[in-house]
Amino acid sequence: MSRRTGTIRLRRSLPGVVAAAVVGLLFLAPVVWMIAASFKPEAEIHRDVASLRGFIPTPATLDNYAAVPQRTNLATVLANTFLVVAAIALGGILINGPAAYAFARMRFPGRDVLFLLLVVSIILPLEVIVIPLFMTVAGFSGAVDLVGDRIFALGALSVPFMAKAFNIFLLRQYFLSLPRSLEEAAFLDGAGWWRVFWRIALPNAVPAVVTVVLLDFVVHWNDFLWPLVVCTGQDTRTVQLALGNFFTEPPISWGAILAYATLATAPVMLVFAFGQRWIVQSVAGTGVKG
Amino acid sequence: MIARERFIAMLFVLPAVLLIGLFVFWPAVSMARTSLHQQRLTDTHAGPPCGGENFRAVWEDPDFRAAAWNTAYFAVLVVPLQTALALALAVWVNAPGRWTRGLRLAVFLPTTLSLTVVAVLWDLLYEPAQASGSGLFNGLLGSLGLPAQPFLTSPAQAMPCLAAMSIWQGVGFQMMILLAGLQSVSGELYEAAALDGARRWGRFIHVTLPGIAPTLTLVVMITTIFALKLFVQPYLMTGGGPQGTTRSVVQYMYEAAFSRRDLGLACAAGVLFFIAVAVVAGVQRRLFRSAEALT
């Protein structure tokens, strides 16, 4: 009996399953192909491109991965990108966290006007102001003599993106949703605002903080335009810019390019595997509530 | 106590306000100012004011007009297709079942690739047929007995190719946001509609669509701004070609500043671009508001 209903159910859902498999493959295939091809000898990549063999790396080799650090300064580039992303995420919490808390809980003159200005700045994407932002950052270039090229470049890549209106907005929404009772109890115990923020509010807002950090990581790990504009030397590049250079500067070796692309993607895939649900829910939440 | 609260609130807000002022509002203001002056890339200060000269130069530049058309064309291709596809996928994967989970993951996977990686990868997939072998798509066409296509090397096909690739990369994120919206629509509404005898399509029109209207608005507006920001794909894959058919507005600004070394020109283009983005976003908001009022 149960077996029979099982077969009927399978028969009914079969067209759906097949359709899902076909659509799923359309999205998966290029990614699987990229990873498979990155393990192939250079000559095979083009030969197998249109056959099913393109998806199976036989014979497999790690030569492409070995070639990447020989062709580019991979270690420096990865270190730069990690430093920039970490600085943006950490600085972001230190700067946006207290601001979001003040907008959620404290009374001060000009609060509503300032908040409105912040919301306006959300709709000003980097692409619109990229040239004048470059001019603004270039205005600080006197500091190069003080801190050196590399530190200046890393600063130019990170400092402009630490304070972010969208993150303030997201954190504020979360602070508003917390019950006030915990904070009030702390105030009765004689704690000040600073202490209440760090010890009570922020630890209770971990989901929002994680979301903001993960979003910053993905957006700035994947950014291409701003590094293209501000990076002047080999040693100040980020991972996406180096990949772009690798792709446009001859000699082109596809195996190494695809290996590099796979390496550049792996951290983001890990981040999403870990935090995808949080990210999507908080972004969707801004639309539903806002 | 109140005075102390005010003072501490100012301290809490100050760093963020200063940094956003310096790196968002100040550039926006200086863009407007530079657009009315002559300034070369190597000048550290604005040159003499030149009235609307930069705007006239941008407006009469056939490259800028082409870039504006190309960007609008890309948005017109991407926004409706990507939104409709994301909505269809979201409704599909909202059904219970093991395979819908798998489909959700598969569609989401490309969004983890950066546009740089996608551009590099699809450049190889789009490769025209040649003696040394061809790209994946031309290989597939060949094995189906269909003629090879020029793809990125054809003025007519290049932009649709970039659009298709961008939809493939981005649709998963929109699908996930819409899915979250779908799951917040109350099940009781569906039961009530079913009692009223509403069929599948009727339930979609009368329950689902109004229920996710705010989420749909958000998705359309995000997708539109993403489309108008087009840069990485043409910059890396076509260089704006063939025959200027894929050069975007952001690419025009970039080239005005760093190839033609004319900051005044780049800023004038930036001001026009800003106005266009603001107008499009404003019109969309208004349209969606009145559409929501109707339902």
Side-chain angles (χ1 to χ4, degrees):
Chain A
M1 180 69 191
S2 69
R3 188 193 246 172
R4 215 172 132 196
T5 48
T7 351
I8 289 170
R9 203 174 291 153
L10 183 68
R11 215 177 273 163
R12 251 191 220 154
S13 61
L14 197 61
V17 174
V18 171
V22 170
V23 173
L25 274 179
L26 281 177
F27 283 90
L28 279 180
V31 184
V32 174
W33 186 87
M34 171 180 85
I35 297 169
S38 74
F39 289 105
K40 288 180 174 194
E42 182 76 22
E44 314 255 319
I45 294 175
H46 261 92
R47 219 188 52 206
D48 293 347
V49 84
S51 67
L52 269 180
R53 289 196 44 198
F55 294 94
I56 307 153
T58 46
T61 165
L62 285 172
D63 288 355
N64 297 324
Y65 287 88
V68 171
Q70 288 166 13
R71 289 272 318 265
T72 70
N73 49 349
L74 182 70
T76 313
V77 165
L78 284 179
N80 286 345
T81 320
F82 269 113
L83 281 173
V84 165
V85 170
I88 292 174
L90 218 74
I93 293 303
L94 287 173
I95 291 162
N96 300 322
Y101 186 69
F103 281 119
R105 288 284 198 254
M106 299 165 85
R107 278 160 302 172
F108 55 98
R111 185 176 80 165
D112 296 341
V113 177
L114 275 181
F115 192 69
L116 194 71
L117 276 175
L118 287 187
V119 173
V120 167
S121 83
I122 293 180
I123 60 154
L124 254 179
L126 165 70
E127 282 77 0
V128 172
I129 55 164
V130 64
I131 303 300
L133 181 61
F134 164 77
M135 293 158 64
T136 305
V137 169
F140 289 98
S141 59
V144 170
D145 298 335
L146 264 167
V147 296
D149 275 329
R150 180 135 183 253
I151 302 288
F152 182 79
L154 296 182
L157 285 167
S158 56
V159 177
F161 306 107
M162 286 178 180
K164 209 171 280 161
F166 181 77
N167 293 357
I168 295 177
F169 184 71
L170 219 143
L171 290 168
R172 171 182 168 269
Q173 297 287 92
Y174 204 89
F175 287 135
L176 283 174
S177 74
L178 293 177
R180 280 171 181 268
S181 49
L182 279 174
E183 292 155 63
E184 276 158 9
F187 280 124
L188 286 179
D189 286 345
W193 284 102
W194 185 244
R195 219 178 139 77
V196 169
F197 168 69
W198 279 109
R199 292 287 171 82
I200 312 284
L202 204 61
N204 278 301
V206 165
V209 172
V210 171
T211 301
V212 160
V213 167
L214 294 185
L215 276 177
D216 271 346
F217 177 88
V218 173
V219 166
H220 294 286
W221 182 272
N222 282 345
D223 189 25
F224 178 78
L225 176 59
W226 184 245
L228 177 70
V229 167
V230 289
C231 291
T232 45
Q234 294 272 317
D235 288 337
T236 58
R237 296 182 303 174
T238 63
V239 64
Q240 305 297 336
L241 181 60
L243 175 63
N245 292 349
F246 208 21
F247 171 64
T248 45
E249 286 161 10
I252 306 290
S253 61
W254 279 109
I257 290 173
L258 293 172
Y260 202 131
T262 306
L263 286 175
T265 306
V268 183
M269 282 189 179
L270 282 177
V271 163
F272 267 111
F274 171 60
Q276 183 230 86
R277 189 160 301 170
W278 276 340
I279 294 179
V280 169
Q281 272 173 5
S282 22
V283 173
T286 56
V288 177
K289 289 173 203 148
Chain B
M1 193 60 200
I2 298 282
R4 194 173 155 73
E5 181 178 333
R6 280 183 178 184
F7 176 70
I8 292 173
M10 299 290 205
L11 286 185
F12 273 31
V13 179
L14 197 66
V17 168
L18 280 182
L19 283 174
I20 290 174
L22 180 60
F23 292 119
V24 178
F25 286 106
W26 171 248
V29 170
S30 82
M31 175 165 79
R33 201 191 46 166
T34 309
S35 72
L36 299 170
H37 291 75
Q38 286 176 9
Q39 188 170 351
R40 304 289 300 169
L41 182 61
T42 40
D43 299 342
T44 45
H45 294 286
C50 61
E53 193 52 40
N54 289 322
F55 286 98
R56 205 176 60 84
V58 168
W59 192 250
E60 288 175 357
D61 186 348
D63 279 356
F64 179 79
R65 293 189 168 202
W69 273 117
N70 295 338
T71 308
Y73 179 38
F74 179 77
V76 166
L77 285 175
V78 164
V79 177
L81 282 175
Q82 186 166 336
T83 310
L85 188 60
L87 184 58
L89 286 167
V91 171
W92 191 8
V93 301
N94 194 25
R98 228 174 303 161
W99 49 272
T100 55
R101 258 187 84 83
L103 182 60
R104 220 181 280 181
L105 277 179
V107 175
F108 192 77
L109 188 68
T111 64
T112 61
L113 308 189
S114 70
L115 282 174
T116 322
V117 169
V118 173
V120 166
L121 174 61
W122 280 61
D123 195 74
L124 194 50
L125 303 184
Y126 276 138
E127 272 197 349
Q130 41 188 279
S132 60
S134 65
L136 181 65
F137 295 135
N138 268 322
L140 286 176
L141 288 177
S143 56
L144 291 172
L146 296 168
Q149 296 296 319
F151 293 129
L152 295 175
T153 53
S154 140
Q157 290 179 11
M159 194 56 110
C161 282
L162 296 188
M165 177 189 99
S166 307
I167 292 172
W168 173 83
Q169 193 264 345
V171 76
F173 194 69
Q174 267 78 340
M175 175 193 75
M176 290 307 239
I177 297 176
L178 286 170
L179 184 63
L182 283 176
Q183 288 171 346
S184 70
V185 178
S186 139
E188 287 166 20
L189 288 176
Y190 285 104
E191 283 163 24
L195 283 179
D196 288 347
R199 299 273 184 98
R200 243 190 193 183
W201 184 244
R203 272 177 293 178
F204 179 75
I205 295 290
H206 295 295
V207 181
T208 310
L209 272 187
I212 59 164
T215 320
L216 203 56
T217 306
L218 178 80
V219 164
V220 170
M221 293 184 69
I222 292 180
T223 314
T224 306
I225 291 186
F226 260 74
L228 295 178
K229 290 175 0 181
L230 175 69
F231 173 74
V232 177
Q233 300 94 313
Y235 179 81
L236 283 175
M237 297 174 79
T238 61
Q243 294 161 38
T245 51
T246 58
R247 177 176 289 108
S248 72
V249 172
V250 177
Q251 194 182 357
Y252 177 90
M253 282 159 53
Y254 177 82
E255 288 171 355
F258 297 108
S259 306
R260 294 156 81 169
R261 308 171 75 77
D262 188 337
L263 293 176
L265 192 71
C267 286
V271 169
L272 294 178
F273 182 46
F274 171 65
I275 292 170
V277 171
V279 166
V280 169
V283 167
Q284 279 186 342
R285 241 192 120 76
R286 190 154 278 207
L287 279 179
F288 280 115
R289 283 247 172 96
S290 40
E292 274 175 47
L294 282 178
T295 51

